[in-house]
Every structure is written in C-alpha cells, then in structure tokens.
Amino acid sequence: MKISQKLISGILGMATISVIVGAISAHQQLKIAKYLAQQEAEEVAGLLGYFVSHELEYHELRSRKEMLAQLQEHVQSLHKQRQRDLEIVDRNKIILADVVTEDIGTRLDRDRNNEVGKTIQDGIPRTYVESSPEYPNGIQLIAVAFKTNKGETIGAVILEYTPLYKAALATAEKNIIVTLFISLGCSVFALAAGYLLSKSISKPIKQLQLAVVNLAEGKLDTRVSIRSQDEIGELATSFNKMADDLQYSRNELVNANEQLRDEITERQEAEAELQQALKELQKTQIQLIQSEKMSSLGQLVAGVAHEINNPVNFIYGNLEYTDDYTQQMLLLIKLYQKHYPYPEPEIQNANQLNDIEYLIEDLPKMLTSMKMGAKRIREIVLSLRIFSRLDKAEFKTADLHEGIDSTLLILQHRLKAQNNRPQIQVVKEYGEMPKIQCFAGQMNQVFMNLLTNAIDALEEAFQKELCPNPLIRISSEQVNENAVIRITDNGSGIPKEIQSRLFDPFFTTKAVGKGTGMGLSISYQIITEKHGGSLECISSPGQGAEFVIAIPIRAGKLAQSSIA
C-alpha cells in the first residue's frame, strides 16, 4: 500500500471513529430519551399510587366506588392536561379507570403477549404495541407497576408511550444534533487534513519513485528537483549524488567494455583464422597422404600388373601353338602305331618305360589346365589394372559393378576362411544401372575402404560370438537420376552416439595400429565433394551396419568443378 493511501486510510479511520463516537453519543441520547419517558411514566404511576394510598389511609370509611370515581377524575384530568391515553388495571387486568369510560370494569384483552401481566408480576416496565379499531396501525404503550406507597403492587398503569418519548426526545434533540454536527465537522476536517498531508508527502515520494524506476531502466541522467529542507529533501540530494556517481562509473565501464570487446573481436578473428588454417592444413595433409598412398599403391599395382601381364600374355599366347603342335605330334604317334604295330625292340622298351599311352591321354588335360591357369592370371592382372585405373584416371564414364568386382577380387584372400573364422559370404544383388560419369579410381578406393571396414567388423563380431555366419550384401539400383549402392554387413552394428563422428578425420573405433581414421573421411570427401553425392550410415547395435552411396549418374556442377 502506498504512503498516501496509508495516510488517507489512517485519517479516514479517525474520521470514522469520530462518526462512530457521534453515533454512539446520539444513540445514548436516544436511550436517555427512552429512560426519561419511562421515568415520567413511573412518576405518573407513582402519583396515582400515592393518591390511592392516601385515600386508603385517611378515608377508610369511603366506599370503593367513591375511590374509583375519584381515581377516574384524576385520569380524566391528566388526559386533559397532557392529551395522553391512560388506563389503570388491577392485578387481574380488570380496568379500574380509563379515558374511555365504557371500558371501565372490563378485562384488558388487547395485551396479546401478556406484557401487562408480566409487569404486574415482576414490577419491570415494558413497552408493547396494541392494535385496535381506533388504532389500526397500532399504538405503542408502556406498562408500569401500580404500587402503594408501601411498595405493594396492586395493578398496572398503562400510558401512551409515543407522546412521552417525543417529549423526552425533544429535550435531547438539540444535544443529538449538536453532537452529530461536531462529529461530521471533525470527520470532514480530518479528511481534508489527511488529503493535503498525504499529497504533500506522496508527491515528492512519487518523484523519487519515478526517478528510481528511470534509473533502474538505464536512464542515468535522471535527477529530482525537490528543494524542501526535510528528510525527503535530504533523500533527494543523496539520490542525485548517487545518480552522478553511477553515471560516471557507467561511462568508465562502457569505455572499458568497448575496449575489451575490440580485443575479444580481434582475438576471435585470429582464432577463427587459425581454426580455418588448421582445418585446411589437416584436409591438405589427409589429401596428400591419401594421394601419395594411392599413387604409390596404384603405381605398384600397375607395375606388377604390367610386369606379370607380358609373360602371362606370352605364355597364354604360346599355349595355343603348343596345343596345336602337341596334337600334331600325338596324331603322328598314333599313325606310327597304326601302320607299324610291331616296332623295333628298342622302341617297344621306350614305349613301356615312358608309358606312352598315359602321356597321350594326360598331355591334353595338362595343356587345358595350363590354359585355365593362364586365363585366371590374366583376369587377376586385368582386375589389378581396373582397380589402379592409372590408364583411366580422368573423369569419364565407368561401370561401378566392374569396380566392385575388381575390389572383391583383390580382397579375396581376406574373404576366404581363416583359422579363427569361417569364410565371409558375399551376396551381390546388382540391379539395372547404366554406366556413370565418375572418377573410377577414386570410386574403387571408396569400395575398398567400405568393404575393408565391413570385413574388420565381421571378424570382430565373430570373435565376440555375435556373428556365427558372417555375410556382406552388396546391392545396386537406379533411383531417379542417382546411382545407389548399398554395402551391408550383419556384424554387431555401430552405436548411435558415435555415428555422427564416423566421417570426421582421424576418428576410429579400431584398436591402436589397426586404423588411421582416414578411410571413411576420405570416402566421404570423394563422394560428396568430388561427385556431388551423399554417403550415409544406417546402423543399430546388434543389427549390423549399412553404408549407402548415392551419386548422380551424369556429371553435376560440383563434379565438373572438381575436374577443373
């Protein structure tokens, strides 16, 4: 609650107390008026009682009829003087005297609640309302005990209460009016004084409050202009001094903050440049290492393939002639056996010693096996050359299925059964997919990295007895304008918390010495940056892992920029 409200509430409370005191005083005056009316009624009853006692004491010889007649004269006299209804009853509520003479001698039956009877019994005056044909709205009466001067109750005196009350009220009315006017005046004066006092106090306090709010909102140039010599004036002076000090401190702090902000900005810019330089350096380092690695590997593979290719081609080419020559020689031997069935003993001994029949039967089989082996060597050499792609290093159309098959041929030794695990089964589900424009050698590198990781994951899962039948599934399909290749294994899977870091440089989950953390990172760069595609990992613990490659079938803008 505000101070002005508190002051007004206090003054209003004082005014209310004044009004309450006035009301209590007026109520007391009314009670006094009632008391005076009751006293007058008791006085009348006492006078009549005194009359009756006097008549009984000094006029004992007078008859009851004469005494009642005399009492009736007193009632009539009082009625004429004060214009009030008056009647007297005995203890049995028989009317002894009344303004209405016809009622004398009858029983009082208009007292429904027996108020008169109760007053006769206990002597306590009572007021009640009597309804009659003469007074359809009712008339208020007061019953007072009718006693002798010796205190003996012989009946009751019933008077009209309203005139008595009005007469007493007229006496107290002036005091009531004066009391009410004084209370009302005190209340108005208290309210006016309280309003002026609260206004004189609350106005400067409101100025101070508004200044404090403005100061809290940052308006440090706020000042108050209160020139009074009281405590509020001293408070205003202290506030202005505090505002001056606060504004000075704020200016100093703002200058320091600006200087610090400039230094922080410069440092952040330097750190950002360092971070960017570090990223570029790491990226360049990875590319250099991988380029050197793949260049060396490609040169080695290409050199070996070239060196093997020449003698293999020589052997494979001469095997055809050797087979022809051998068939001719065998035909000549058969002709000799046909036309000279009985050769010389020396020839027969040589025939038996060398088992010419077996040689004739086995030599063609041997030449066929040699041709198959030479053909197999030629296929391996061709796969090595396809994988190295030194003869097709530029961006051109290539068959991805051919690259996958050559990669699988190179990794055949790792797919075979080992001492500590069974053979890894490879299921190829190739769909209809045209040749695409890509860097064939780099795509083979991606296939090599993904298949090598799948083999490592299957070996680890088999050692943990989580994968009794290791399997790699390779599927391909065309989705819209993209070639999509999926390489899936049934190993132990990859936890979700590390899936987001799989393609980060140097991040690896393998033991020390078994991985560099660059394979997936380089594969991601080849797919996304070189070919404008996407590489995604889908895996759940215990459900294996699936790597999805999607690249445009035709060269996009990103791939064209890579070519440039």
Side-chain angles (χ1 to χ4, degrees):
M1 184 181 291
K2 297 181 179 179
I3 295 178
S4 59
Q5 294 177 344
K6 291 183 179 179
L7 288 173
I8 293 175
S9 299
I11 301 300
L12 185 61
M14 295 174 60
T16 304
I17 292 174
S18 300
V19 172
I20 293 173
V21 170
I24 293 174
S25 176
H27 180 69
Q28 289 298 114
Q29 293 292 338
L30 293 176
K31 289 181 66 176
I32 291 173
K34 291 181 180 179
Y35 176 75
L36 292 176
Q38 182 178 334
Q39 288 296 317
E40 184 175 354
E42 291 180 352
E43 181 180 356
V44 171
L47 289 174
L48 293 174
Y50 175 77
F51 165 77
V52 173
S53 299
H54 183 270
E55 291 295 325
L56 292 174
E57 184 177 355
Y58 294 102
H59 302 282
E60 296 179 357
L61 298 177
R62 298 182 68 175
S63 65
R64 175 179 176 82
K65 184 176 180 180
E66 293 177 350
M67 185 186 69
L68 293 177
Q70 190 69 29
L71 183 61
Q72 178 67 22
E73 291 179 0
H74 281 283
V75 169
Q76 293 291 341
S77 178
L78 287 173
H79 177 66
K80 290 179 180 180
Q81 290 179 359
R82 301 193 178 183
Q83 295 298 317
R84 299 176 187 171
D85 288 339
L86 176 66
E87 56 187 345
I88 301 173
V89 298
D90 61 8
R91 293 185 65 85
N92 296 322
K93 297 176 64 176
I94 302 299
I95 299 175
L96 301 177
D98 194 352
V99 175
V100 182
T101 56
E102 291 81 2
D103 294 337
I104 297 175
T106 63
R107 181 176 177 81
L108 182 67
D109 58 357
R110 298 184 296 274
D111 181 16
R112 296 179 180 178
N113 296 323
N114 196 27
E115 299 293 338
V116 177
K118 294 177 182 179
T119 300
I120 294 173
Q121 293 294 327
D122 55 19
I124 299 174
R126 287 178 173 81
T127 60
Y128 66 97
V129 178
E130 176 187 298
S131 297
S132 63
E134 293 88 0
Y135 304 103
N137 296 328
I139 182 173
Q140 191 171 13
L141 302 176
I142 182 170
V144 185
F146 184 32
K147 299 179 181 181
T148 64
N149 56 355
K150 294 181 180 180
E152 180 183 358
T153 301
I154 59 176
V157 178
I158 304 171
L159 293 90
E160 186 179 358
Y161 181 74
T162 304
L164 293 175
Y165 177 70
K166 287 183 178 179
L169 186 62
T171 304
E173 187 176 11
K174 294 182 180 180
N175 294 332
I176 295 173
I177 294 173
V178 171
T179 302
L180 291 176
F181 271 108
I182 291 174
S183 299
L184 184 61
C186 291
S187 301
V188 172
F189 175 76
L191 289 174
Y195 174 75
L196 295 176
L197 181 61
S198 63
K199 187 175 181 180
S200 63
I201 294 176
S202 62
K203 184 176 180 180
I205 291 179
K206 285 183 179 179
Q207 293 182 6
L208 279 173
Q209 181 185 8
L210 181 60
V212 170
V213 172
N214 292 335
L215 193 67
E217 292 177 352
K219 301 176 182 178
L220 299 182
D221 56 346
T222 303
R223 301 293 184 274
V224 291
S225 57
I226 301 176
R227 306 302 181 188
S228 60
Q229 302 299 321
D230 52 7
E231 289 81 358
I232 296 179
E234 294 177 357
L235 182 61
T237 303
S238 301
F239 175 82
N240 291 334
K241 185 176 182 303
M242 179 191 68
D244 293 336
D245 295 340
L246 188 60
Q247 188 173 17
Y248 176 78
S249 300
R250 182 188 178 183
N251 293 334
E252 293 291 330
L253 184 61
V254 168
N255 295 331
N257 285 340
E258 290 179 354
Q259 184 178 359
L260 182 60
R261 190 181 299 110
D262 294 339
E263 294 178 357
I264 292 174
T265 302
E266 293 176 358
R267 182 173 296 179
Q268 288 177 345
E269 292 176 354
E271 290 179 355
E273 293 177 357
L274 288 175
Q275 289 290 339
Q276 185 64 27
L278 180 59
K279 289 181 180 179
E280 294 293 335
L281 182 60
Q282 289 178 342
K283 184 177 180 181
T284 304
Q285 180 184 9
I286 294 173
Q287 292 176 349
L288 288 175
I289 294 173
Q290 189 66 18
S291 299
E292 182 65 24
K293 176 181 177 182
M294 293 307 298
S295 176
S296 300
L297 179 61
Q299 291 177 3
L300 177 62
V301 171
V304 171
H306 179 72
E307 292 299 327
I308 295 175
N309 189 50
N310 290 333
V312 167
N313 286 336
F314 174 78
I315 295 173
Y316 186 79
N318 289 327
L319 281 175
E320 296 291 335
Y321 300 106
T322 304
D323 187 27
D324 293 339
Y325 298 160
T326 302
Q327 293 298 331
Q328 293 177 9
M329 292 178 65
L330 292 177
L331 179 60
L332 182 60
I333 293 174
K334 289 180 179 180
L335 290 175
Y336 270 104
Q337 289 178 343
K338 179 179 180 181
H339 296 286
Y340 295 98
Y342 304 104
E344 296 295 328
E346 184 178 0
I347 296 175
Q348 290 182 1
N349 293 333
N351 188 5
Q352 294 177 359
L353 180 65
N354 295 315
D355 196 0
I356 296 301
E357 297 297 331
Y358 174 77
L359 291 178
I360 292 173
E361 180 183 358
D362 189 58
L363 184 58
K365 296 180 181 179
M366 185 181 300
L367 289 174
T368 302
S369 298
M370 292 173 66
K371 289 175 65 176
M372 291 177 61
K375 184 178 180 180
R376 179 62 175 165
I377 294 174
R378 290 188 66 194
E379 291 175 353
I380 293 174
V381 171
L382 180 60
S383 297
L384 291 174
R385 295 183 63 187
I386 292 174
F387 179 78
S388 64
R389 291 288 181 177
L390 289 181
D391 56 340
K392 298 180 181 180
E394 69 276 7
F395 189 85
K396 62 190 315 182
T397 303
D399 187 353
L400 294 183
H401 294 162
E402 187 180 74
I404 296 173
D405 291 338
S406 64
T407 305
L408 289 173
L409 184 60
I410 295 174
L411 293 175
Q412 189 65 36
H413 69 287
R414 294 204 59 188
L415 297 172
K416 293 180 179 179
Q418 306 291 336
N419 295 330
N420 56 350
R421 65 163 174 81
Q423 179 180 355
I424 298 176
Q425 184 181 359
V426 177
V427 177
K428 293 187 288 186
E429 298 174 347
Y430 293 161
E432 292 293 333
M433 189 171 63
K435 294 182 179 182
I436 68 171
Q437 294 176 327
C438 64
F439 293 98
Q442 294 182 4
M443 289 302 300
N444 291 341
Q445 180 183 352
V446 173
F447 298 146
M448 175 69 75
N449 290 333
L450 296 181
L451 290 171
T452 301
N453 286 341
I455 294 171
D456 293 340
L458 291 173
E459 289 180 346
E460 182 180 355
F462 183 82
Q463 292 176 1
K464 295 180 180 179
E465 298 182 356
L466 300 176
C467 179
N469 299 309
L471 171 68
I472 295 177
R473 187 182 304 275
I474 305 173
S475 62
S476 63
E477 61 179 336
Q478 179 180 350
V479 180
N480 298 327
E481 296 298 324
N482 293 325
V484 178
I485 298 174
R486 304 175 185 271
I487 299 176
T488 309
D489 65 73
N490 62 345
S492 58
I494 302 174
K496 290 188 177 298
E497 56 270 16
I498 67 172
Q499 289 184 20
S500 59
R501 302 180 58 194
L502 284 178
F503 305 115
D504 293 345
F506 304 107
F507 176 78
T508 181
T509 59
K510 299 178 182 178
V512 178
K514 291 188 177 182
T516 61
M518 294 190 299
L520 289 179
S521 175
I522 293 171
S523 300
Y524 186 81
Q525 291 180 6
I526 291 173
I527 296 299
T528 58
E529 297 181 8
K530 296 292 185 180
H531 295 85
S534 64
L535 177 59
E536 181 183 4
C537 174
I538 303 173
S539 178
S540 299
Q543 301 297 323
E546 180 182 46
F547 285 86
V548 182
I549 302 171
I551 58 175
I553 294 176
R554 294 175 179 82
K557 294 182 179 180
L558 187 59
Q560 295 293 345
S561 62
S562 299
I563 297 172

